[in-house]
Amino acid sequence: MNKKLEKELKQKLEEQKKELENQLSKFAKKDENLEHDWDTEFPKMAREATGSNALEEAADEVEQYANTLPVEYSLEVRLKDVNLALEKIKKGTYGKCENCDKKIDEERLKIYPEARLCLDCEKKK
């Protein structure tokens, strides 16, 4: 892979990383004990609810919390892949399939710069 393309893809990955972290920070906090882990914040009202109106509002917040967990997971997985790709760029192993060790097609990387597998291995998955 030529250095110009690698630089462009690195910049794209860094932008994706910022965006993913920004999205996560709207409803979650970085876990200080686990690297690359975020924790959706449990609603404060749900912990402190008393009275029927407060309990209904707390129930709504808990439902929203439960609906947010899969979003957190999805964003975390994407962020993990982006971070892994950036680490591979540093190590000089970026653009190689993790399964068969062949070069990942540059067109694939342009579309999906955090790709870990070549198309052939991805299809077999």
Side-chain angles (χ1 to χ4, degrees):
M1 175 180 308
N2 69 54
K3 292 294 178 185
K4 181 182 177 194
L5 177 60
E6 186 176 287
K7 186 177 178 179
E8 289 173 15
L9 294 174
K10 180 180 179 184
Q11 182 177 356
K12 189 173 182 178
L13 286 163
E14 287 171 346
E15 289 170 6
Q16 284 182 358
K17 178 179 177 173
K18 272 188 210 174
E19 179 59 30
L20 290 166
E21 287 178 341
N22 182 41
Q23 289 178 25
L24 279 162
S25 70
K26 291 178 181 176
F27 60 87
K29 289 187 179 180
K30 280 186 181 181
D31 188 324
E32 296 176 8
N33 299 316
L34 293 171
E35 188 177 3
H36 306 297
D37 187 51
W38 290 70
D39 297 318
T40 298
E41 296 180 48
F42 193 77
K44 185 177 180 182
M45 179 168 237
R47 292 189 303 253
E48 301 170 355
T50 57
S52 63
N53 282 345
L55 288 175
E56 285 181 29
E57 288 179 28
D60 289 342
E61 287 184 358
V62 169
E63 182 180 2
Q64 183 177 355
Y65 169 80
N67 291 335
T68 304
L69 290 175
V71 175
E72 172 199 327
Y73 177 75
S74 176
L75 292 172
E76 279 180 334
V77 168
R78 289 181 56 207
L79 182 58
K80 179 183 173 191
D81 288 344
V82 167
N83 283 327
L84 185 60
L86 288 168
E87 190 62 34
K88 287 179 178 183
I89 289 172
K90 285 181 190 175
K91 291 180 180 178
T93 59
Y94 179 70
K96 290 185 182 177
C97 178
E98 290 181 0
N99 191 41
C100 69
D101 211 35
K102 291 181 184 173
K103 263 181 82 172
I104 298 173
D105 185 67
E106 289 182 358
E107 291 304 312
R108 175 167 168 74
L109 291 172
K110 287 177 185 176
I111 295 166
Y112 185 55
E114 65 270 29
R116 297 167 66 177
L117 302 173
C118 67
L119 278 177
D120 290 337
C121 290
E122 186 70 38
K123 289 176 185 175
K124 293 176 189 174
K125 206 166 90 167

